[in-house]
Amino acid sequence: MWRLYQYTLCPFSRKVRFACAVKGVTVELVDEFPWDRRDGFAALNPAGQTPVLQNSSVTLVDSAAICDYLEETIERTPLLGAGPEERAESRRLIAWFDQKFYGEVTAPLLSERMYKRLFTREAPDAAAIRSAARNAEAHLDYLDFLLDRRRWLSGPAFGLADIAAVAQVSVADYLGAIEWDGHDPARTWYSAIKSRPTFRPLLQERMEGLPPPSHYDKLDF
Amino acid sequence: MWRLYQYTLCPFSRKVRFACAVKGVTVELVDEFPWDRRDGFAALNPAGQTPVLQNSSVTLVDSAAICDYLEETIERTPLLGAGPEERAESRRLIAWFDQKFYGEVTAPLLSERMYKRLFTREAPDAAAIRSAARNAEAHLDYLDFLLDRRRWLSGPAFGLADIAAVAQVSVADYLGAIEWDGHDPARTWYSAIKSRPTFRPLLQERMEGLPPPSHYDKLDF
C-alpha cells in the first residue's frame, strides 16, 4: 500500500494524486505541512517538500520523479506520449507548469493568501497578488494558444502535461487568482478535467479557514 | 547535426553539453543570451530560456526533457540507472540540483556577480552573495554526505545526477562562491569529473569581462 505525504493546496501533491488516480494506483493520504519542519519528514525527504510517495520497500521524492516512476512501472494508460519527440514535448510543458507557472503564480499566491493568512497572520502583499494574477492571465493566454491547436496540451491524448497544468491552475483558482472570462479554450479544457471522476475528489477538499471562491468546484463556471 | 543554443555560464546548458559529450553526441554551439530577448529565440522557446537543442526535424526545450530524450534515443552509456528505483533516485537528485541548488546558489550568483557586472553595471548585493555562499556550504555538506555512502551521487555508476550537480557546482565555483576546504569527498568527486576529457572543454571557456578564480580550471584545487 502506498502512502502519500501531502497537503491539499500543494500543487505537486495534486499532480501526483491525479496521476495515481488516472493510473489506478490507490494511495493512503497523510497530511504533511512542510512549514512544520517535522524531523521525521526531513528524514524521508531532505529537501523538506511534499509530495513523498512511500511503500514498505521504496521512498519516492519529487513529483516529476514520482510521475516518471508511475509511468515506467504501470503500463496502463500511458501519460507521456508515444515516441521520444512526443515525450519531450510533454516534458517541456510539465517543466513549464512545475517551474514557470509555479514560480510566477502558485508560489506567490500560496505565500500571500494561504501561509500569511493561516500561519503568520500577516496582511498579504497586495502588489504580489496583483503580479501573480497578471502572470496567471499570461499563462491562460498560453493555454488558449496551445488548445486552439491541440485537443490536449501536449497533443491528441490526455497526459501528464494536462495533469501538471491542472494541478497548478486548480490551486490558483482556489486562491481566487484566475479570471476565466475571455479564455474559452482554457475554460473548456478545465471543465472537461473537472468532470473526470479521477479529479473530482480533489475539488471537494477544503483547507480549513480558507474557503475557495463559490465557482471553484462547479462544472459550469 | 544538432545545434545547441546556450551560453557558457548557463548551468542548464552545461548539463546538456556534458550529457551530449558523454553520450558521444556532437553539437554545434550557438551563443544565446536569454536576457537579450531575441525574437527568433522566443519563437524556439516561449519560456525564453537556454538551452534549446535543435536539428532539422526536432526542437527540444528544457534541460531535463533534453536529457531524457538523449537517454531514450541513445542506448550507449545509460545515465539514469538500471531499474525504476535507481532512476527515481537519479531524478530526485537531478531535481535537487536543477531546482534547489540553482534557486539557492547559482541563480542569485548569476544575478549578482554576472548580470549586474556585465549588463546593468550595478553594484552587487553583498548580502545576497553571502547568503548564496552559505547555501553553497550546506549543499557541499550534502554532497559529502552522499559521497561518504556512494561512489557517485546516485549510486555505483556515474550518471545524470553527477552531471546535473557538476553543472551547478562548476558555475558557482567560477563565480567564486565555493570554499572547498573541509569538503574532501566533494572535492575528490569534482576533481575526478574535472579530469574527464568530456568535461574539460567547459573549464577552458571564459565569460568575457568576468574571469574565474585562479583555482577554477586546476585539477589540484
Side-chain angles (χ1 to χ4, degrees), chain A residues 45-47 49 57-58 60-62 64-65 68-69 72-73 83-85 87-89 91-92 95-96 99-100 142, chain B residues 45-47 49 57-62 64-65 68-69 72-73 83-85 87-88 91-92 95-96 99-100 142:
Chain A
N45 178 11
Q49 293 158 344
S57 64
V58 59
L60 302 171
V61 165
D62 178 72
D68 272 307
Y69 180 92
E72 287 184 7
T73 54
E85 282 81 14
R87 283 195 286 276
E89 176 63 358
R91 290 194 159 106
R92 173 183 82 83
W96 179 287
Q99 291 164 42
K100 196 169 168 65
Y142 190 51
Chain B
N45 178 11
Q49 293 159 343
S57 64
V58 60
T59 301
L60 303 171
V61 165
D62 180 73
D68 271 307
Y69 180 91
E72 287 184 7
T73 55
E85 282 81 15
R87 284 195 286 276
R91 291 195 158 106
R92 174 182 81 84
W96 179 288
Q99 291 164 43
K100 197 169 168 64
Y142 191 51

Side-chain angles (χ1 to χ4, degrees), chain B residues 26-46:
Chain B
T26 308
V27 297
E28 176 196 353
L29 300 179
V30 181
D31 278 335
E32 181 73 48
F33 303 107
W35 50 87
D36 285 346
R37 296 172 177 270
R38 191 170 63 80
D39 285 348
F41 188 60
L44 280 185
N45 178 11

Side-chain angles (χ1 to χ4, degrees), chain B:
Chain B
M1 177 69 165
W2 290 102
R3 266 190 315 278
L4 183 70
Y5 295 82
Q6 59 89 50
Y7 70 96
T8 190
L9 284 184
C10 168
F12 303 103
S13 300
R14 288 187 172 217
K15 179 182 162 199
V16 168
R17 289 178 63 183
F18 191 19
C20 283
V22 171
K23 287 281 194 183
V25 175
T26 308
V27 297
E28 176 196 353
L29 300 179
V30 181
D31 278 335
E32 181 73 48
F33 303 107
W35 50 87
D36 285 346
R37 296 172 177 270
R38 191 170 63 80
D39 285 348
F41 188 60
L44 280 185
N45 178 11
Q49 293 159 343
T50 47
V52 172
L53 186 64
Q54 189 183 46
N55 67 15
S56 55
S57 64
V58 60
T59 301
L60 303 171
V61 165
D62 180 73
S63 72
I66 294 171
C67 289
D68 271 307
Y69 180 91
L70 296 172
E71 184 72 1
E72 287 184 7
T73 55
I74 302 163
E75 288 184 22
R76 159 185 171 168
T77 329
L79 294 174
L80 273 171
E85 282 81 15
E86 279 186 30
R87 284 195 286 276
E89 176 64 357
S90 292
R91 291 195 158 106
R92 174 182 81 84
L93 290 165
I94 293 164
W96 179 288
F97 289 99
D98 282 2
Q99 291 164 43
K100 197 169 168 64
F101 191 109
Y102 176 72
E104 294 172 357
V105 181
T106 325
L109 289 172
L110 284 169
S111 171
E112 299 304 325
R113 287 220 162 126
M114 181 196 71
Y115 190 72
K116 286 189 178 173
R117 173 156 174 181
L118 297 182
F119 303 101
T120 64
R121 316 261 171 195
E122 290 170 87
D125 178 341
I129 291 176
R130 276 197 304 275
S131 164
R134 268 196 311 274
N135 293 336
E137 178 74 16
H139 279 283
L140 284 192
D141 285 342
Y142 191 51
L143 281 175
D144 289 343
F145 171 86
L146 292 170
L147 293 163
D148 276 338
R149 287 154 181 81
R150 301 168 173 178
R151 171 80 184 87
W152 295 95
L153 287 185
S154 64
F158 171 86
L160 271 170
D162 302 284
I163 290 172
V166 82
Q168 302 291 333
V169 167
S170 66
V171 172
D173 195 37
Y174 188 111
L175 296 169
I178 305 284
E179 175 52 71
W180 291 102
D181 283 348
H183 297 289
D184 284 346
R187 197 202 297 252
T188 303
W189 166 85
Y190 189 37
S191 185
I193 292 178
K194 274 180 154 180
S195 69
R196 295 194 164 210
T198 45
F199 188 72
R200 284 204 66 71
L202 278 165
L203 291 175
Q204 315 299 329
E205 290 178 15
R206 298 293 176 266
M207 192 86 180
E208 205 184 316
L210 191 64
S214 60
H215 73 260
Y216 169 69
D217 57 3
K218 296 200 168 62
L219 293 183
D220 184 17
F221 53 99

Side-chain angles (χ1 to χ4, degrees), chain A:
Chain A
M1 178 69 165
W2 290 103
R3 264 189 316 277
L4 183 71
Y5 295 82
Q6 59 88 52
Y7 70 96
T8 189
L9 284 184
C10 167
F12 303 103
S13 300
R14 287 188 171 215
K15 180 182 163 199
V16 168
R17 289 179 62 183
F18 191 18
C20 283
V22 170
K23 287 280 194 184
V25 175
T26 309
V27 296
E28 176 197 353
L29 301 178
V30 181
D31 278 335
E32 182 73 48
F33 303 107
W35 51 88
D36 286 347
R37 297 172 176 269
R38 191 171 63 81
D39 285 347
F41 188 58
L44 279 185
N45 178 11
Q49 293 158 344
T50 47
V52 172
L53 186 64
Q54 188 183 48
N55 67 15
S56 55
S57 64
V58 59
T59 301
L60 302 171
V61 165
D62 178 72
S63 72
I66 294 171
C67 289
D68 272 307
Y69 180 92
L70 296 172
E71 184 72 1
E72 287 184 7
T73 54
I74 301 163
E75 289 185 23
R76 160 186 171 167
T77 329
L79 294 174
L80 273 172
E85 282 81 14
E86 279 187 30
R87 283 195 286 276
E89 176 63 358
S90 291
R91 290 194 159 106
R92 173 183 82 83
L93 290 165
I94 293 164
W96 179 287
F97 290 99
D98 282 2
Q99 291 164 42
K100 196 169 168 65
F101 191 110
Y102 176 71
E104 294 172 356
V105 181
T106 326
L109 289 172
L110 285 168
S111 171
E112 299 304 325
R113 287 219 163 127
M114 180 197 71
Y115 190 71
K116 286 188 177 174
R117 174 157 174 179
L118 297 183
F119 302 101
T120 63
R121 316 262 172 195
E122 290 170 87
D125 177 342
I129 291 175
R130 275 196 306 274
S131 165
R134 267 197 312 273
N135 292 337
E137 179 73 17
H139 279 284
L140 284 193
D141 285 341
Y142 190 51
L143 281 174
D144 289 343
F145 171 87
L146 293 171
L147 294 163
D148 276 338
R149 287 155 181 81
R150 302 167 173 179
R151 171 77 183 89
W152 295 96
L153 287 185
S154 63
F158 171 86
L160 271 171
D162 302 284
I163 290 173
V166 82
Q168 301 291 333
V169 167
S170 66
V171 172
D173 195 38
Y174 188 110
L175 296 170
I178 305 283
E179 175 52 71
W180 290 102
D181 284 348
H183 296 288
D184 284 346
R187 197 203 297 252
T188 303
W189 166 85
Y190 189 37
S191 185
I193 292 177
K194 275 180 153 180
S195 69
R196 295 195 164 209
T198 44
F199 188 73
R200 284 203 65 72
L202 277 165
L203 291 174
Q204 315 299 329
E205 292 178 13
R206 297 293 177 268
M207 192 85 180
E208 205 184 317
L210 190 65
S214 60
H215 73 260
Y216 169 69
D217 57 4
K218 296 201 169 59
L219 293 183
D220 184 16
F221 52 99

